[in-house]
Amino acid sequence: MNKDTEIDMKEVELNELDPEKQPMTGDGQAPGGEKNGSVKLKVPDDEVAFTGLSKEELMKVAGTPGWVRTRWVLLVLFWLGWIGMLAGAIVIIVQAPRCKAIPEMNWWNEGPLYQITDLEAFSEGLKGVEEKLDDINQLKVKSLVIGPLHTVQANQMTGLNLQEIGAGLGKAEDLDSLLKAAHKKGISVVLDLTPNYKGNPVWFDDKDRKEIMEDVKTAAEFWLNKGLDGIKISDLGIASTSPDWAKLRMAVQGNGTDDTKKRALMGVVNDISAENLSQLVNDSGVDLILSDLLSRNTEGKERIRVLETLHSEQRKIGWGLGAAQKDHLSKRATTWGLIRLYQLLLFTLPGTPVFTYGDEIGLQANQMSNKTNQTKEAPKMVWNVEKEETDGAKSNHTEYAEIRKWFRSLSDLRGKERSLLHGDYYSLYSSATALSFLRVWDQSERYITAVNWRDGLEELKLNLEPTEGVELPETAKVKLSTDQEFEVDSTVNLKDLKLKAGQALLLQFPYTG
């Protein structure tokens, strides 16, 4: 074989080589077109993929002693873990402090009671009251007391008509419209049916009392059928001794069922001791009593004694400063600071706070008497104090607006905090011009009210002394303050609590178990 033949044979062998074994071309590609570094793997066609064990094989393995023991161990561990978690949950539930049952609360306990004693001075009659419902609703008021509305001449039974709305106050249709609008906003409406409200005595003479009680009962049924939510009467001590008192109670309280809204019978008393008031609550069977105890007892020690006597009846006690006499708060709280102080006190007392229209702004009462009948003229209500000045109150406009904001903050807080709404009461301190008490409910935030209505500039230290079983922390947080000396959310040392004249604080501290 010559040399040329050998070269031809080598070229044939190279051409028959697999592409992977052929030498690369100048551009880095094999003759077949693959790039440098490419590798082709050929999987034999007869190679079998793994498909796991068959059912028969699994059954054989599952029955072996090793797997049986493993399954039992895992099953026992699962149930032991489950039982352990269940036992742990039971222990937590048993050892955790139980929540205290919420006491029965009625609509007259849920928010402040707002008296509109003179509809013309408030807003020119029943139509005006309806127009002002949005303003009233902003105060978190849950119930209105309107009137009296009926026609009567002072001390004259012959002119008494308990089922007729007096001239100038509106028509029956206006009352219907007011009730519908108020109920839509969640506000209940109570009617004052005090018979001789323009004269004295309010139940006329003794010889007329039986007849008057029958008239009041009939009128109560008439107005309740119109949609009123309750009836209020004055001089409860006299009315409740009438032989027909039970009939009036039945007319007001006995017409509802468990599925209907409760109707309230409210009474007002004056010049009565705390002990006698407590007895009257039980004897009369009324739903709420308003008294003049705070107005009459002006010293801190007297007021604390009153609170200690009545706090267990808090769902049937209404607190006001002048409200029992239909006076305004400003008559007794003669400075803007004292108005704030007494608003704070009333909103945190164990019971329902009661205000006369205008108390939310500190409306200045007109102390001038009408020379004709010697009755005090009702002050005209001032509106839009937070929006613009009005001609009748330019000098007081700023204070009216600030006090209204203060009132709203107190009303809002009371509605949210269980300790203030229906919490237990504990006295902490009292002196001639100051007092302090604690409100507590279960695991809710605790609140301390501390007020000093003293005149002058002298500072007073309140030595808080909790009753047995009640513990106070070393410090508490300022929730509300009547002035800027105590900043909101700042901390106060309870062992060195000092208040200047006219100052009031609402302090807060948490439940700690």
Side-chain angles (χ1 to χ4, degrees):
M1 184 179 298
N2 59 33
K3 195 173 188 178
D4 291 333
T5 303
E6 289 180 304
I7 292 174
D8 290 306
M9 291 296 294
K10 288 181 179 180
E11 288 178 354
V12 171
E13 289 175 359
L14 286 173
N15 291 331
E16 291 178 350
L17 286 173
D18 288 339
E20 290 86 349
K21 297 180 181 180
Q22 292 184 18
M24 301 298 169
T25 61
D27 59 359
Q29 290 187 349
E34 285 82 1
K35 292 185 178 180
N36 186 16
S38 296
V39 177
K40 289 186 177 180
L41 297 178
K42 292 186 178 181
V43 180
D45 294 336
D46 58 350
E47 187 173 340
V48 179
F50 178 74
T51 59
L53 298 176
S54 65
K55 181 178 179 181
E56 292 76 11
E57 292 172 327
L58 285 173
M59 293 301 295
K60 290 180 181 180
V61 175
T64 60
W67 277 109
V68 171
R69 284 194 300 269
T70 301
R71 287 200 306 275
W72 274 108
V73 169
L74 292 175
L75 182 64
V76 170
L77 288 176
F78 168 78
W79 283 110
L80 286 176
W82 188 88
I83 293 172
M85 289 188 293
L86 178 62
I90 293 173
V91 170
I92 292 173
I93 293 172
V94 171
Q95 292 185 345
R98 296 186 179 183
C99 293
K100 198 172 180 179
I102 301 295
E104 181 183 0
M105 299 291 290
N106 295 297
W107 52 263
W108 55 86
N109 304 126
E110 294 174 350
L113 210 65
Y114 191 85
Q115 295 187 141
I116 306 176
T117 53
D118 190 313
L119 273 71
E120 291 184 278
F122 179 74
S123 189
E124 299 180 353
L126 291 168
K127 283 187 175 181
V129 176
E130 181 180 349
E131 292 171 358
K132 299 302 181 184
L133 282 178
D134 285 338
D135 294 82
I136 295 171
N137 197 38
Q138 290 175 2
L139 305 175
K140 307 298 181 182
V141 167
K142 297 300 181 182
S143 48
L144 297 178
V145 180
I146 60 173
L149 304 177
H150 56 266
T151 58
V152 66
Q153 295 179 1
N155 305 320
Q156 298 292 323
M157 273 193 61
T158 55
L160 177 65
N161 188 341
L162 293 166
Q163 299 181 33
E164 181 179 72
I165 298 175
L169 298 180
K171 300 179 181 179
E173 295 80 10
D174 300 328
L175 179 60
D176 293 339
S177 181
L178 168 61
L179 294 176
K180 185 177 181 180
H183 290 160
K184 190 174 291 186
K185 294 181 182 297
I187 299 175
S188 301
V189 184
V190 176
L191 178 64
D192 191 333
L193 264 184
T194 301
N196 189 26
Y197 68 95
K198 293 183 178 180
N200 189 51
V202 296
W203 287 92
F204 294 100
D205 296 328
D206 293 344
K207 62 183 177 64
D208 303 318
R209 197 152 296 149
K210 181 175 177 60
E211 180 183 349
I212 291 297
M213 184 61 69
E214 180 64 29
D215 290 344
V216 170
K217 179 190 80 70
T218 302
E221 292 172 334
F222 172 80
W223 292 115
L224 291 171
N225 287 335
K226 291 257 181 203
L228 270 297
D229 301 294
I231 299 297
K232 173 193 167 189
I233 57 170
S234 297
D235 210 343
L236 176 64
I238 295 296
S240 62
T241 60
S242 169
D244 293 328
W245 170 249
K247 294 181 180 179
L248 176 60
R249 279 190 59 195
M250 181 60 65
V252 178
Q253 301 170 319
N255 292 334
T257 66
D258 293 339
D259 298 328
T260 60
K261 182 178 179 180
K262 286 188 176 182
R263 292 167 173 172
L265 179 58
M266 303 180 182
V268 180
V269 291
N270 290 294
D271 301 317
I272 187 173
S273 68
E275 291 76 13
N276 289 338
L277 179 60
S278 179
Q279 186 66 41
L280 185 59
V281 167
N282 297 312
D283 292 345
S284 66
V286 295
D287 297 297
L288 193 72
I289 292 184
L290 174 63
S291 76
D292 64 342
L293 281 168
L294 285 184
S295 305
R296 210 159 21 90
N297 298 287
T298 58
E299 288 200 359
K301 290 185 179 295
E302 294 174 343
R303 287 173 170 174
I304 283 290
R305 186 183 62 80
V306 167
L307 293 173
E308 290 175 344
T309 303
L310 296 174
H311 72 85
S312 61
E313 305 283 356
Q314 63 173 291
R315 280 171 286 285
K316 291 194 172 184
I317 298 295
W319 297 108
L321 195 71
Q325 302 92 341
K326 300 182 181 179
D327 287 335
H328 289 79
L329 186 61
S330 61
K331 181 178 179 180
R332 290 165 175 80
T334 55
T335 66
W336 300 115
L338 285 177
I339 289 172
R340 290 183 175 89
L341 181 149
Y342 280 114
Q343 285 181 351
L344 186 150
L345 179 63
L346 292 172
F347 270 112
T348 57
L349 287 173
T352 299
V354 183
F355 299 94
T356 302
Y357 78 91
D359 285 350
E360 72 273 22
I361 62 172
L363 182 66
Q364 299 301 292
N366 184 0
Q367 302 300 321
M368 298 298 292
S369 298
N370 185 302
K371 294 181 180 180
T372 303
N373 56 20
Q374 295 299 308
T375 58
K376 295 173 183 176
E377 296 179 358
K380 192 172 181 63
M381 183 61 181
V382 179
W383 297 104
N384 300 321
V385 295
E386 294 182 4
K387 298 177 182 178
E388 59 184 358
E389 292 188 355
T390 57
D391 294 337
K394 287 185 178 179
S395 60
N396 297 329
H397 178 269
T398 301
E399 289 294 346
Y400 280 165
E402 291 301 318
I403 289 179
R404 190 174 191 273
K405 291 177 183 178
W406 171 255
F407 185 100
R408 288 175 60 182
S409 65
L410 286 164
S411 186
D412 184 61
L413 183 65
R414 181 184 181 273
K416 293 177 179 178
E417 294 295 334
R418 290 181 176 178
S419 291
L420 297 178
L421 191 59
H422 49 68
D424 299 325
Y425 165 92
Y426 299 96
S427 299
L428 296 178
Y429 174 84
S430 65
S431 68
T433 62
L435 60 80
S436 179
F437 55 83
L438 172 68
R439 300 295 307 281
V440 172
W441 181 258
D442 199 22
Q443 302 173 43
S444 300
E445 295 284 324
R446 280 84 164 97
Y447 286 91
I448 295 174
T449 296
V451 296
N452 177 19
W453 56 86
R454 175 186 293 184
D455 294 329
L457 300 175
E458 186 177 351
E459 194 173 57
L460 177 67
K461 182 176 180 179
L462 281 65
N463 297 312
L464 304 185
E465 298 178 359
T467 57
E468 185 177 353
V470 176
E471 295 184 1
L472 294 180
E474 292 185 0
T475 62
K477 184 176 69 174
V478 176
K479 186 65 178 181
L480 291 171
S481 171
T482 54
D483 57 40
Q484 297 180 351
E485 181 175 344
F486 293 93
E487 294 184 3
V488 174
D489 292 332
S490 63
T491 301
V492 173
N493 185 349
L494 295 182
K495 294 182 179 180
D496 189 33
L497 179 59
K498 297 177 181 179
L499 293 179
K500 292 180 180 178
Q503 284 185 330
L505 289 177
L506 184 61
L507 305 175
Q508 179 190 62
F509 63 93
Y511 167 79
T512 56

